[in-house]
Amino acid sequence: MKVNLGVDSRLHGALIKLIEDNVRELSKENEIHVTELIAPPCIRKETRAHYDEIEIDPGTAIATLNGIIGHSILENSTDASVAITEFSINCSIANMRVLGRVDALTDFTLQGTELHATLIDYKTTNADSFKYLIMDGAKDEWIQQLNIYKYILE
């Protein structure tokens, strides 16, 4: 996967580097990221088949940039004494490695011998997604993602 500067080569070099640094490498055949797992299977299949041909247009990557910047700000603003932020998790299921990245764990309590915590996954949205969130609640894939993270963490 490569970043195509095209007509948007006027974007600031730091923004281009941020996009390039956050392009996910193609995972191994026996690995799957949680976000891939909850997406339609044809997307993973076609991405794997055409990975080297896929181009990212920085001009249309504004939502990605907003997410990267937002996560960075939240991570750097979180008090490390009350939360664990931005860490990788994984488990094996049927010879597949399921990979995820937790944004934050906080509100730790001990109930008997069990440790409980609040699992947080930050989302950035556009106005349409926000309207959907207010009217219909969290998107199904957001709930699926958190449920898989919970399964891995347990």
Side-chain angles (χ1 to χ4, degrees):
M1 195 173 296
K2 53 188 170 272
V3 177
N4 178 3
L5 298 180
V7 296
D8 289 313
S9 60
R10 63 190 179 277
L11 282 177
H12 190 277
L15 296 178
I16 300 295
K17 182 170 181 356
L18 188 60
I19 294 168
E20 290 173 338
D21 289 350
N22 284 278
V23 170
R24 182 182 288 165
E25 294 294 321
L26 188 61
S27 57
K28 297 176 184 170
E29 191 65 38
N30 65 336
E31 293 179 342
I32 188 165
H33 292 268
V34 171
T35 51
E36 292 176 293
L37 187 61
I38 61 177
C42 60
I43 292 175
R44 177 178 163 87
K45 179 184 174 200
E46 293 301 316
T47 298
R48 294 190 71 76
H50 302 284
Y51 184 82
D52 292 333
E53 302 165 43
I54 297 172
E55 294 184 356
I56 299 171
D57 176 4
T60 61
I62 299 303
T64 301
L65 283 172
N66 285 339
I68 294 166
I69 292 166
H71 275 80
S72 177
I73 290 168
L74 290 165
E75 179 183 8
N76 293 330
S77 300
T78 301
D79 181 351
S81 68
V82 297
I84 304 169
T85 60
E86 295 293 333
F87 62 96
S88 297
I89 57 174
N90 66 78
C91 72
S92 290
I93 301 174
N95 296 322
M96 285 292 286
R97 198 103 194 115
V98 180
L99 310 168
R101 185 146 183 91
V102 172
D103 292 339
L105 273 180
T106 189
D107 300 328
F108 298 97
T109 58
L110 192 59
Q111 295 177 4
T113 58
E114 292 185 1
L115 180 64
H116 293 260
T118 300
L119 173 61
I120 298 172
D121 190 65
Y122 301 119
K123 298 295 183 193
T124 56
T125 64
N126 59 28
D128 289 336
S129 292
F130 185 73
K131 284 191 287 188
Y132 172 87
L133 179 64
I134 297 300
M135 292 173 29
D136 299 325
K139 291 182 177 183
D140 291 342
E141 58 264 28
W142 296 353
I143 295 167
Q144 292 165 353
Q145 183 179 5
L146 283 173
N147 282 329
I148 295 169
Y149 285 174
K150 180 179 182 285
Y151 174 85
I152 294 171
L153 288 167
E154 289 179 335

